[in-house]
Amino acid sequence: MRSTRRNFLTVSGAAAALALAGNLPEIRAAAAGWTGRPDRRDPFTLGVASGDPLPDAVVIWTRLAPDPLAPFGGMDRRPVEVQWQVAEDEQFHRVVRHGTAKAQPESSHSVHVDVRGLRPWRHYWYRFRVNGQLSPVGRTKTAPAYDAQLASLSLAFASCQAWWEGWYTAYADMAKRDHDVVFFLGDYIYEFGIDRGIRPHSNEPYITQQTVTLDEYRQRYAAYKLDPDLQNAHARAPWVVTLDDHEVVDNWADEAHPSAPPAQFLVRRANAFRAYWEHMPLRLAQLPKGPDMQLYRRIRYGRLAEFSVLDTRQYRSDQAYGDGTKAPGPETKDPARTITGAAQEKWLLDGWTASQSRWNVMAHQTAIARLDTKDGPEVLVPMDTWDGYEASRDRVLGGAAQRKVRNLVSIAGDLHRSVASDLKLDFTDPSSATVGAEFVGTSITSGIDGQDLDAGGATLLRENPHMKFGNFQRGYVSCTITPRQWISDYRVVDKVSVQGGTVSTRAKLLVEDGRPGISEVQQ
């Protein structure tokens, strides 16, 4: 497999490097006044976004696409200079940073500006201009100073937003709440073809066909990003993103997927990664190099919380026993198999060793807690979650216990259901030590409306005594963190199959400082 990746990069050579990487956006100083040739077409149809906040910096993003579903977004195949501003007020009376960025056709005319020299822990507003057209205004917020004693932090996390399966009512609710940061934990798009969905126009080719080529992935992102509620949620707070499987193809694992031989799959993966980077507020450090992309990284909020953002797709062993839901066995316990790869696992554990934060958070794709899905003495667990990689889980949770990691919390998605659990050293023994808490958020839309508690959720609650809460509706999780407690507010939507669904709090779950696990559930 490793030699396949080397062959891909060698055989593709300079031509592939240019096609996949292109010229990077070039930032330079600009005059304070703005001029430009008027153009009646709106180039900012996909909105604006910001991400990966630091105490002195944040990434601001847009993509020029006057005809967003057309190849190259309807743009000419030439570079375009885009002016940008960052201000301390929404009216832009106090502009503190400005410049121009070059939107390159090789990057589908996306713009990623890493704005530096900002002040910690404050709101900023940003906008772009090109050819006489102004973008929508976005609001962002920098992280606090690394040694700041933060009184509180508000965050939201979400995943799994199948466009054709419902309306983004959860994002409309998220945008109304004042979050300091949003974590998106995978399945921003879905790659597979469908017959027809709930939304108007969901039988169009840009939704129904399978995405394989770079143009097809770009078009799929554009279709999703046209949604006004998603755009509004991006424009209200910085996002920290990581991908899961459907940004490439269902249940891929490193270089392996049954849809194609490794050499062909790597080309598809390179296409998917390229389109992903083009449409996310990511730094140049995350720019893919062919089929490889550096996604795991840390985001720190003073001494209050440190977030280790993981990538559990790119380095994992192939799923045990051919994937699916199976009984655990020697293959799931094999210490040679991994879900993170050895380098990322060491990075995670070393980071915990050095951490001085009150809360230490894994922001990743899928449940690390054991999920027995079968009633009775027989145990059946999903091979695509950490259940299929038990040795990896044991090393990570055992490593956290050995290092006496303070207030370990896992936030994840993927399951299309809400699951909150205590994290155990040994999930087969209810009396085993609890080392942390896990909050798995449901999907934004994937799975359509759902219900409060389905048969599968009832089985999970019966068979997994470490599980404290379950729900099968759509929504997201809003969290408030202080030095003394973590509160997870599970926000659910009664219906995503119609516009204007009702959003409410289904449960509030509490973790107290110094007391591992979930100490209270209010429903």
Side-chain angles (χ1 to χ4, degrees), residues 265-341:
F265 174 67
L266 282 177
V267 175
R268 182 179 187 178
R269 195 174 106 175
N271 291 335
F273 281 9
R274 180 69 194 190
Y276 179 77
W277 182 84
E278 289 173 351
H279 290 85
M280 296 296 118
L282 290 166
R283 284 191 166 82
L284 297 185
Q286 278 66 58
L287 180 72
K289 296 178 180 177
D292 298 313
M293 188 177 189
Q294 177 63 49
L295 270 177
Y296 64 85
R297 59 207 190 278
R298 288 191 181 90
I299 303 292
R300 185 170 166 185
Y301 278 81
R303 294 291 183 91
L304 182 62
E306 184 173 275
F307 296 85
S308 298
V309 183
L310 303 187
D311 175 354
T312 60
R313 282 290 161 192
Q314 208 171 162
Y315 315 104
R316 69 160 64 193
S317 308
D318 204 357
Q319 288 87 350
Y321 301 115
D323 208 354
T325 302
K326 306 287 176 55
E331 199 169 333
T332 63
K333 297 176 173 63
D334 182 355
R337 299 181 67 258
T338 175
I339 194 171
T340 62

Side-chain angles (χ1 to χ4, degrees), residues 464-517:
N464 301 280
H466 50 275
M467 182 174 161
K468 305 302 179 184
F469 170 73
N471 173 270
F472 191 51
Q473 292 170 287
R474 313 284 74 85
Y476 71 101
V477 186
S478 178
C479 304
T480 302
I481 310 167
T482 72
R484 299 189 60 158
Q485 62 183 21
W486 176 304
I487 297 175
S488 287
D489 183 342
Y490 276 83
R491 301 285 289 171
V492 300
V493 187
D494 63 340
K495 288 182 179 296
V496 296
S497 56
V498 296
Q499 288 183 284
T502 300
V503 185
S504 61
T505 292
R506 176 61 183 82
K508 283 183 178 290
L509 281 63
L510 171 68
V511 179
E512 295 179 285
D513 174 38
R515 296 183 61 186

Side-chain angles (χ1 to χ4, degrees), residues 46 84 121 128 228 232 238 248 304 330 385 405:
L46 303 181
W84 57 270
W121 200 229
F128 301 88
N232 198 21
V248 182
L304 182 62
T385 72
V405 174

